[in-house]
Amino acid sequence: MAKIFIYPTNSLILSDLVERFGHKPLAMMEKIKEKITTVGVDSPPINITPEDPKLGLKYAAVEVPAGVRGRMALVGPQIDEAEAAIIVLDSSSAFGCMGCARTNELTKFLARQKDIPRLEVKYPRTEEEGKYFVYQIAEFLKSLPKEEDEE
């Protein structure tokens, strides 16, 4: 089972596909769940620890807006942990404010810099493109080593 970093980091479809093919998705949902269910961490927006901004500085400079560093405190460790990555280009779900846009650019940059198997696919706009989109992801996930293959 490989740990697959997915982008957009909140994609339920990618997360589900990765799980269906026997791998572990590294998605934002798990990190958020971890944050809100941890005892001692308050409810949003006060759900960060004093260590989170420091962790964000590992991925983004101090001059970068705090929102980018905060997001990178969640996304950066996932990229570090990843053994493969799936990046969806031109996704309509990857919209947002300037902090989100900069975080998305930095996230894709860091995932591309890491020497891991990576699949970059274009967001589908038609049914046929959707079928090909799923086919490409399925073939990529099948090509990755499973736990039994690693022994």
Side-chain angles (χ1 to χ4, degrees):
M1 171 174 30
K3 295 177 182 175
I4 315 292
F5 176 76
I6 59 172
Y7 176 84
T9 57
N10 59 353
S11 173
L12 292 173
I13 293 173
L14 285 179
S15 181
D16 182 58
L17 276 171
V18 168
E19 279 185 351
R20 286 178 189 233
F21 285 92
H23 299 288
K24 180 181 180 193
L26 299 174
M28 185 64 85
M29 293 76 77
E30 287 294 321
K31 283 290 186 184
I32 297 296
K33 178 184 173 188
E34 188 179 298
K35 283 282 184 194
I36 62 173
T37 58
T38 300
V39 176
V41 178
D42 290 332
S43 299
I46 312 170
N47 58 349
I48 65 169
T49 66
E51 299 302 316
D52 289 338
K54 295 177 194 168
L55 185 58
L57 284 172
K58 178 181 176 187
Y59 305 99
V62 72
E63 297 88 11
V64 173
V68 175
R69 286 195 314 272
R71 291 174 182 95
M72 290 311 297
L74 297 175
V75 175
Q78 292 179 332
I79 296 171
D80 290 344
E81 188 180 354
E83 297 168 339
I86 299 173
I87 298 173
V88 177
L89 304 171
D90 301 327
S91 170
S92 57
S93 64
F95 70 95
C97 63
M98 193 50 89
C100 290
R102 296 295 174 239
T103 302
N104 290 339
E105 289 177 19
L106 184 57
T107 297
K108 288 187 282 189
F109 174 78
L110 291 175
R112 289 175 176 142
Q113 293 298 308
K114 193 165 179 182
D115 188 25
I116 55 174
R118 184 181 70 242
L119 174 69
E120 293 194 27
V121 291
K122 192 173 176 187
Y123 186 80
R125 303 287 178 203
T126 65
E127 185 175 336
E128 288 304 314
E129 288 178 359
K131 290 176 183 174
Y132 187 61
F133 174 83
V134 172
Y135 172 77
Q136 286 178 298
I137 293 171
E139 291 300 312
F140 176 72
L141 292 171
K142 287 177 189 173
S143 73
L144 297 174
K146 300 246 179 179
E147 195 167 315
E148 329 45 86
D149 296 341
E150 294 173 352
E151 295 177 11

